[in-house]
Short mmCIF file of all heavy atoms in Angstrom, two decimals:
data_model
loop_
_atom_site.label_atom_id
_atom_site.label_comp_id
_atom_site.label_asym_id
_atom_site.label_seq_id
_atom_site.Cartn_x
_atom_site.Cartn_y
_atom_site.Cartn_z
N ILE A 1 -22.34 18.73 -20.32
CA ILE A 1 -22.45 19.08 -21.74
C ILE A 1 -22.64 17.81 -22.57
O ILE A 1 -23.39 17.81 -23.56
CB ILE A 1 -21.22 19.89 -22.19
CG1 ILE A 1 -21.25 21.25 -21.50
CG2 ILE A 1 -21.20 20.06 -23.70
CD1 ILE A 1 -20.04 22.10 -21.73
N GLY A 2 -22.02 16.70 -22.17
CA GLY A 2 -22.23 15.43 -22.87
C GLY A 2 -23.67 14.94 -22.74
O GLY A 2 -24.25 14.44 -23.71
N CYS A 3 -24.26 15.11 -21.55
CA CYS A 3 -25.67 14.75 -21.37
C CYS A 3 -26.56 15.62 -22.25
O CYS A 3 -27.53 15.13 -22.84
CB CYS A 3 -26.07 14.88 -19.91
SG CYS A 3 -25.42 13.59 -18.87
N ALA A 4 -26.24 16.90 -22.31
CA ALA A 4 -27.03 17.80 -23.17
C ALA A 4 -26.88 17.39 -24.63
O ALA A 4 -27.86 17.44 -25.39
CB ALA A 4 -26.58 19.24 -22.96
N ALA A 5 -25.70 16.97 -25.04
CA ALA A 5 -25.49 16.55 -26.42
C ALA A 5 -26.26 15.28 -26.75
O ALA A 5 -26.65 15.06 -27.90
CB ALA A 5 -24.00 16.33 -26.69
N SER A 6 -26.50 14.45 -25.75
CA SER A 6 -27.23 13.20 -26.02
C SER A 6 -28.74 13.41 -26.09
O SER A 6 -29.43 12.59 -26.69
CB SER A 6 -26.89 12.15 -24.97
OG SER A 6 -27.41 12.52 -23.72
N VAL A 7 -29.26 14.47 -25.50
CA VAL A 7 -30.72 14.67 -25.54
C VAL A 7 -31.14 15.70 -26.57
O VAL A 7 -32.33 15.78 -26.90
CB VAL A 7 -31.27 15.07 -24.14
CG1 VAL A 7 -31.06 13.95 -23.15
CG2 VAL A 7 -30.69 16.36 -23.65
N LEU A 8 -30.20 16.48 -27.08
CA LEU A 8 -30.57 17.46 -28.11
C LEU A 8 -30.87 16.75 -29.43
O LEU A 8 -30.18 15.79 -29.78
CB LEU A 8 -29.42 18.45 -28.33
CG LEU A 8 -29.16 19.45 -27.22
CD1 LEU A 8 -27.92 20.27 -27.55
CD2 LEU A 8 -30.35 20.36 -27.02
N PRO A 9 -31.88 17.20 -30.14
CA PRO A 9 -32.15 16.59 -31.45
C PRO A 9 -31.03 16.94 -32.42
O PRO A 9 -30.47 18.04 -32.38
CB PRO A 9 -33.48 17.20 -31.88
CG PRO A 9 -33.61 18.44 -31.09
CD PRO A 9 -32.85 18.24 -29.82
N VAL A 10 -30.73 16.01 -33.32
CA VAL A 10 -29.68 16.22 -34.31
C VAL A 10 -30.30 16.87 -35.53
O VAL A 10 -31.30 16.40 -36.07
CB VAL A 10 -29.01 14.88 -34.69
CG1 VAL A 10 -27.96 15.10 -35.75
CG2 VAL A 10 -28.40 14.26 -33.46
N PHE A 11 -29.70 17.96 -35.98
CA PHE A 11 -30.21 18.68 -37.13
C PHE A 11 -29.58 18.14 -38.40
O PHE A 11 -28.78 17.21 -38.37
CB PHE A 11 -29.94 20.18 -36.98
CG PHE A 11 -30.59 20.77 -35.76
CD1 PHE A 11 -29.83 21.21 -34.70
CD2 PHE A 11 -31.97 20.85 -35.67
CE1 PHE A 11 -30.42 21.73 -33.57
CE2 PHE A 11 -32.58 21.38 -34.55
CZ PHE A 11 -31.81 21.82 -33.49
N ALA A 12 -29.92 18.74 -39.52
CA ALA A 12 -29.42 18.26 -40.80
C ALA A 12 -27.90 18.37 -40.90
O ALA A 12 -27.24 17.54 -41.49
CB ALA A 12 -30.08 19.04 -41.94
N LEU A 13 -27.34 19.39 -40.30
CA LEU A 13 -25.89 19.58 -40.33
C LEU A 13 -25.29 19.02 -39.05
O LEU A 13 -24.85 19.74 -38.16
CB LEU A 13 -25.55 21.06 -40.49
CG LEU A 13 -26.13 21.73 -41.74
CD1 LEU A 13 -25.90 23.22 -41.71
CD2 LEU A 13 -25.52 21.12 -42.99
N ALA A 14 -25.26 17.71 -38.96
CA ALA A 14 -24.85 17.04 -37.72
C ALA A 14 -23.39 17.29 -37.39
O ALA A 14 -23.03 17.46 -36.23
CB ALA A 14 -25.12 15.55 -37.82
N ARG A 15 -22.52 17.34 -38.40
CA ARG A 15 -21.10 17.56 -38.13
C ARG A 15 -20.83 18.94 -37.57
O ARG A 15 -20.04 19.11 -36.65
CB ARG A 15 -20.28 17.33 -39.39
CG ARG A 15 -20.07 15.86 -39.69
CD ARG A 15 -19.29 15.70 -40.93
NE ARG A 15 -20.27 15.47 -41.99
CZ ARG A 15 -19.99 15.29 -43.25
NH1 ARG A 15 -18.76 15.32 -43.65
NH2 ARG A 15 -20.94 15.07 -44.12
N ILE A 16 -21.51 19.94 -38.12
CA ILE A 16 -21.32 21.31 -37.63
C ILE A 16 -21.88 21.43 -36.22
O ILE A 16 -21.27 22.07 -35.34
CB ILE A 16 -21.97 22.32 -38.60
CG1 ILE A 16 -21.21 22.28 -39.92
CG2 ILE A 16 -21.98 23.71 -38.01
CD1 ILE A 16 -21.81 23.10 -41.01
N GLN A 17 -23.03 20.82 -35.98
CA GLN A 17 -23.61 20.84 -34.63
C GLN A 17 -22.68 20.15 -33.64
O GLN A 17 -22.49 20.62 -32.53
CB GLN A 17 -24.97 20.16 -34.64
CG GLN A 17 -25.64 20.14 -33.29
CD GLN A 17 -26.96 19.37 -33.31
OE1 GLN A 17 -27.34 18.81 -34.34
NE2 GLN A 17 -27.64 19.36 -32.21
N LEU A 18 -22.08 19.06 -34.06
CA LEU A 18 -21.14 18.34 -33.20
C LEU A 18 -19.89 19.17 -32.93
O LEU A 18 -19.40 19.22 -31.80
CB LEU A 18 -20.78 17.02 -33.87
CG LEU A 18 -20.13 15.94 -33.03
CD1 LEU A 18 -20.95 15.65 -31.79
CD2 LEU A 18 -19.95 14.69 -33.84
N MET A 19 -19.39 19.86 -33.95
CA MET A 19 -18.23 20.74 -33.75
C MET A 19 -18.55 21.87 -32.79
O MET A 19 -17.73 22.21 -31.93
CB MET A 19 -17.75 21.30 -35.09
CG MET A 19 -16.94 20.36 -35.91
SD MET A 19 -16.26 21.27 -37.29
CE MET A 19 -16.21 20.01 -38.51
N LEU A 20 -19.75 22.45 -32.93
CA LEU A 20 -20.14 23.53 -32.01
C LEU A 20 -20.27 23.02 -30.58
O LEU A 20 -19.85 23.69 -29.64
CB LEU A 20 -21.46 24.16 -32.47
CG LEU A 20 -21.37 25.03 -33.72
CD1 LEU A 20 -22.76 25.47 -34.16
CD2 LEU A 20 -20.48 26.23 -33.47
N THR A 21 -20.82 21.83 -30.43
CA THR A 21 -20.96 21.25 -29.08
C THR A 21 -19.59 21.00 -28.47
O THR A 21 -19.36 21.31 -27.29
CB THR A 21 -21.76 19.94 -29.14
OG1 THR A 21 -23.01 20.18 -29.79
CG2 THR A 21 -22.02 19.40 -27.76
N LEU A 22 -18.68 20.45 -29.25
CA LEU A 22 -17.33 20.21 -28.74
C LEU A 22 -16.62 21.52 -28.43
O LEU A 22 -15.90 21.63 -27.42
CB LEU A 22 -16.52 19.40 -29.76
CG LEU A 22 -16.88 17.93 -29.87
CD1 LEU A 22 -16.18 17.31 -31.08
CD2 LEU A 22 -16.50 17.18 -28.61
N ALA A 23 -16.81 22.54 -29.27
CA ALA A 23 -16.18 23.84 -29.02
C ALA A 23 -16.72 24.48 -27.75
O ALA A 23 -15.96 25.04 -26.94
CB ALA A 23 -16.39 24.76 -30.22
N VAL A 24 -18.03 24.39 -27.54
CA VAL A 24 -18.62 24.95 -26.32
C VAL A 24 -18.11 24.20 -25.09
O VAL A 24 -17.78 24.81 -24.06
CB VAL A 24 -20.17 24.90 -26.40
CG1 VAL A 24 -20.81 25.13 -25.05
CG2 VAL A 24 -20.67 25.90 -27.41
N ALA A 25 -18.02 22.88 -25.20
CA ALA A 25 -17.52 22.08 -24.07
C ALA A 25 -16.07 22.43 -23.75
O ALA A 25 -15.70 22.57 -22.58
CB ALA A 25 -17.66 20.59 -24.37
#
């Protein structure tokens, strides 16, 4: 999941995307 987080493009709402990634992990 960390590798996926490093290759996914960051959207305008980076904090929310980061929270979702951490929640999924």
